[in-house]
Amino acid sequence: MPAPLQITDADRLPPEAVAEVRALLAAALGTDGVRPVSEEGELRLQHGGPAGGRDVVARAADGTLLGYARLEADPAAPEAEAELVVAPPARRRGVGSALLAHLETLAGGRPLRVWAHGERPGSAELAARRGYGRARVLLQMRRPLTDVDPDPRPALPPGVTVRTFRPGADESAWLRVNARAFATHPEQGRWTTEDVALREAEPWFDPAGFFLAWQGDPDDGGRLLGSHWTKVHPAGDEGPDPVGEVYVLGIDPDAQGMRLGRALTDLGLAHLRRQGLDTVLLYVEEDNTPAVHLYERSGFVRHAVDVAWRRDSTPS
């Protein structure tokens, strides 16, 4: 381990430290080929997050940034959750172990869940040494867009139309359906107006790639039935070339059986194809066997794995 290794944490990092961390994240992405911290983690690094969140940095004696971790520890939540990354030149030198020990202390004895993006051998070894077990696995699946119809005309139920998202007008309806569609999802179903606003302010946000299926007139009593929100990752974000994403695809439970999921999927993939993209990705829980099989039948294959490691209790 570097000696002495300085580890500090804060509610929010100052702008110059945020810039250092983002440079570290970019270096790790370039080395590993996978994003070392989730989109949500990066947004909270830049804009802050809920109560209990902490940014943790590890530095060498000369101030060089060696590692970063983000902890979510809502006082009302039964467990804490974190992500961590070590600068590529500083790996296998005890930095990850020191960061994880600090996170455990901050968790205050509660169970701690730590995400490892890409399931690299080092993260599995570190988790095993400290008594963590695999708790959740998230698959990234991909498929080519070269065979996608760029102008699909899906059949829709009578009275149903698909329109693109209108910022400032459609947020409340979308959040209601999102909460219903993902009622059992540990993160997605709890999105708030602020979560949407943060993404609307991101450079990648494009309402032309955000499709909403309405029954009736949205301005005159219409009901939102489902949506497909797409995203375009710029070159260097998910690989050397731009990549599309099925970002959020959700159908209101009351609208299940209307075949809206397939129609919205086709419209979203066609939009991404028209942007000149060759590949699309999505994320799905590994244990959601029906969804995994559905995506495999649709041409998606497994590309990467994110693993949440969990320990039932941490030292207080």
Side-chain angles (χ1 to χ4, degrees), residues 190-228:
R190 293 181 289 181
W191 274 25
T192 65
T193 301
E194 182 180 3
D195 291 319
V196 176
L198 284 175
R199 287 157 177 81
E200 288 180 336
E202 286 291 290
W204 61 262
F205 178 72
D206 179 10
F210 193 164
F211 300 90
L212 308 181
W214 292 92
Q215 186 173 56
D217 187 341
D219 295 320
D220 188 19
R223 185 166 68 98
L224 183 62
L225 302 178
S227 68
H228 182 188

Side-chain angles (χ1 to χ4, degrees), residues 16-314:
E16 60 273 16
V18 170
E20 284 184 279
V21 171
R22 295 189 72 188
L24 185 155
L25 298 180
L29 170 61
T31 297
D32 303 331
V34 295
R35 293 178 61 168
V37 173
S38 65
E39 176 193 63
E40 190 66 37
E42 287 200 49
L43 286 172
R44 291 179 178 181
L45 164 67
Q46 296 176 68
H47 305 290
R54 307 292 290 177
D55 290 309
V56 184
V57 295
R59 295 184 182 277
D62 64 1
T64 301
L65 183 65
L66 303 178
Y68 167 76
R70 172 72 193 180
L71 176 75
E72 303 299 341
D74 184 337
E79 65 180 31
E81 187 170 79
E83 302 173 275
L84 68 86
V85 56
V86 177
R91 292 175 179 174
R92 303 284 182 176
R93 294 164 53 192
V95 178
S97 295
L99 279 170
L100 184 54
H102 194 85
L103 291 169
E104 291 168 353
T105 300
L106 291 176
R110 281 186 291 175
L112 177 62
R113 188 185 300 251
V114 182
W115 281 98
H117 300 281
E119 197 179 20
R120 296 185 59 77
S123 62
E125 294 168 11
L126 173 60
R129 284 200 307 270
R130 299 193 69 87
Y132 288 75
R134 289 163 70 99
R136 186 177 165 197
V137 179
L138 193 64
L139 301 179
Q140 185 193 121
M141 304 184 73
R142 297 191 178 196
R143 63 153 288 175
L145 288 168
T146 50
D147 61 346
V148 167
D149 182 354
D151 186 26
R153 301 177 185 274
L156 298 171
V160 175
T161 57
V162 175
R163 307 185 183 202
T164 53
F165 184 82
R166 300 171 299 171
D170 293 332
E171 285 85 352
S172 294
W174 184 83
L175 281 166
R176 181 186 67 81
V177 171
N178 182 69
R180 287 173 54 79
F182 295 97
T184 61
H185 194 279
E187 295 98 18
Q188 184 64 43
R190 293 181 289 181
W191 274 25
T192 65
T193 301
E194 182 180 3
D195 291 319
V196 176
L198 284 175
R199 287 157 177 81
E200 288 180 336
E202 286 291 290
W204 61 262
F205 178 72
D206 179 10
F210 193 164
F211 300 90
L212 308 181
W214 292 92
Q215 186 173 56
D217 187 341
D219 295 320
D220 188 19
R223 185 166 68 98
L224 183 62
L225 302 178
S227 68
H228 182 188
W229 186 351
T230 69
K231 176 179 180 177
V232 176
H233 295 270
D237 192 19
E238 288 287 349
D241 300 313
V243 178
E245 180 178 351
V246 177
Y247 188 57
V248 186
L249 175 64
I251 306 299
D252 190 297
D254 290 343
Q256 295 292 340
M258 298 175 69
R259 299 182 63 82
L260 291 175
R262 179 57 184 269
L264 288 165
T265 297
D266 288 347
L267 290 168
L269 295 184
H271 169 78
L272 294 172
R273 180 60 182 147
R274 291 195 299 271
Q275 307 310 300
L277 303 175
D278 295 326
T279 306
V280 61
L281 66 85
L282 57 78
Y283 290 91
V284 62
E285 303 286 343
E286 184 183 53
D287 61 3
N288 188 348
T289 304
V292 173
H293 288 169
L294 173 63
Y295 294 136
E296 288 175 338
R297 290 195 298 271
S298 300
F300 284 88
V301 297
R302 301 180 187 211
H303 178 79
V305 177
D306 294 343
V307 179
W309 298 90
R310 185 181 187 275
R311 194 163 81 173
D312 288 338
S313 62
T314 60

